[in-house]
């Protein structure tokens, strides 16, 4: 499975993946999902929001669901998302080899547009499913080429008119367990190849528009400039400092410069800020400080800045009963496994608002994620499959 998935959407120049919602690579990944499901005799359906479901046996209420996503960030790694989907199919193989047949409806889910790389909203598929993303807003979101999500879906034969909260489907899920590569290296310092998730840090994405005046890079005196790049650069430094002081993390990772000429002072710099913190109050306070620093600097530079929050995900505490059940079952094969919080968002975090959810992490020796260096050792991945099979057997018996 891993070998057949690896070439899809690979950018040979960077070694990273460009599997963005509804692009050719994403459609190839969806096809891969269908063929792996078919190879196991699983029945695949696409839900109203573009998420894929592969059913082992009859559909129905009280379903045990596992899965993850196959899309990537720009030049992302091979493991974030795909490890969970591959492990889900592999766990079914393990359970069948054990002679196990689920006593409850059982599905592998592949959530659409988890990274939000194309339209800017993370976990769009699960947010639409749970009603956390307004369907009209989703349909109107545009990628950098001006293509709306509705247009991108229609081109992929996915009806954009059916988007929206799906109460019937949610009511049919008894538990969702997502296996994911660790996005840090807490496990690298332990004997354990796997961990159980405790919570997901709250997370906000903001768009900053710094506007100034385009002018000649050679003839415009420094004191005559209204340079939004200067305001932006100072804001990057402020974000780092405020995050460090507040115990948060803050990142400007995406930038659009106009006119983007080597010999021109920019007229506008548009930048996206990602802020995460252990709690909602810290997140709000740190973000406010960064916005304030940008405004103060704009005043001194003769530029203007607006800051708009594009998305917000509150803190997620995973279901305690399910978490304890996982940790208890894993003790049989793995001993006491670590229970870890994370700064990374996941579909399991979105679904947690509607159904009991839990997560398993697989050790990542370098901690690198969202980059080509993302990695997990084969033996740890196989331990992850065993762990997932163990907990699914416990839940679906
Ligand atoms: Zn992921």
């Amino acid at each position: 499975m891993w070998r057949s998935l690896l070439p899809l959407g690979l950018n040979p120049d960077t070694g990273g993946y460009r599997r963005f919602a509804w692009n050719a690579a994403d459609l190839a990944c969806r096809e891969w999902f269908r063929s792996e499901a078919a190879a196991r005799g699983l029945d695949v359906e696409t839900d109203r929001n573009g998420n894929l479901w592969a059913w082992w046996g009859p559909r129905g209420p009280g379903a045990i669901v596992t899965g993850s996503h196959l899309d990537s960030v720009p030049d992302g790694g091979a493991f974030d998302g795909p490890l969970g989907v591959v492990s889900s199919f592999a766990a079914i193989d393990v359970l069948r080899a054990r002679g196990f047949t689920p006593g409850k409806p059982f599905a592998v889910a592949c959530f659409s547009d988890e990274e939000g790389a194309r339209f800017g909203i993370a976990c769009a598929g699960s947010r639409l499913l749970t009603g956390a993303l307004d369907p009209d807003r989703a349909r109107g979101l545009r990628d950098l080429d001006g293509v709306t999500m509705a247009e991108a879906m229609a081109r992929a034969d996915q009806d954009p008119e059916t988007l929206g909260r799906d109460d019937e489907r949610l009511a049919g899920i008894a538990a969702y367990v997502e296996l994911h590569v660790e996005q840090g290296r807490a496990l690298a310092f332990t004997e354990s190849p796997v961990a159980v998730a405790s919570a997901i840090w709250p997370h906000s994405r903001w768009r900053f528009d710094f506007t100034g005046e385009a002018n000649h890079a050679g003839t415009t005196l420094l004191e005559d400039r209204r340079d939004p790049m200067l305001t932006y650069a100072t804001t990057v430094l402020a974000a780092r400092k405020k995050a460090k002081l507040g115990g948060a993390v803050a990142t400007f990772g995406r930038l659009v410069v106009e006119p983007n000429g080597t010999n021109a002072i920019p007229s506008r710099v548009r930048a996206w800020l990602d802020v995460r913190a252990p709690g909602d109050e810290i997140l709000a306070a740190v973000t406010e400080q960064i916005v304030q620093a940008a405004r103060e600097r704009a005043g001194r530079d003769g530029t203007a800045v607006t800051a708009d929050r594009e998305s917000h995900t509150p803190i997620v505490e995973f279901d305690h009963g399910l978490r304890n059940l996982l940790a208890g079952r894993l003790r049989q094969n793995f001993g006491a496994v670590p229970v870890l919080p994370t700064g990374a968002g996941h579909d399991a975090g979105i679904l947690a608002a509607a159904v009991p959810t839990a997560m398993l992490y697989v050790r990542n020796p370098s901690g690198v994620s969202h980059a080509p260096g993302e990695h997990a050792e084969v033996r740890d991945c196989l331990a992850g499959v065993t762990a997932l099979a163990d907990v699914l057997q416990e839940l679906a018996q």
Side-chain angles (χ1 to χ4, degrees), residues 68-69 71 79-82 114-115 178 180-181 183 345-347 370:
S68 193
H69 63 94
D71 65 315
F79 291 79
D80 178 353
E114 195 274 349
E115 300 288 5
E178 179 169 357
H180 205 278
V181 69
Q183 295 172 290
H346 299 287
D347 293 309
H370 284 186

Side-chain angles (χ1 to χ4, degrees), residues 14-29:
T14 63
Y17 287 88
R18 296 187 174 177
R19 298 162 175 165
F20 308 146
W22 308 107
N23 77 358
D26 187 48
L27 297 182
C29 288

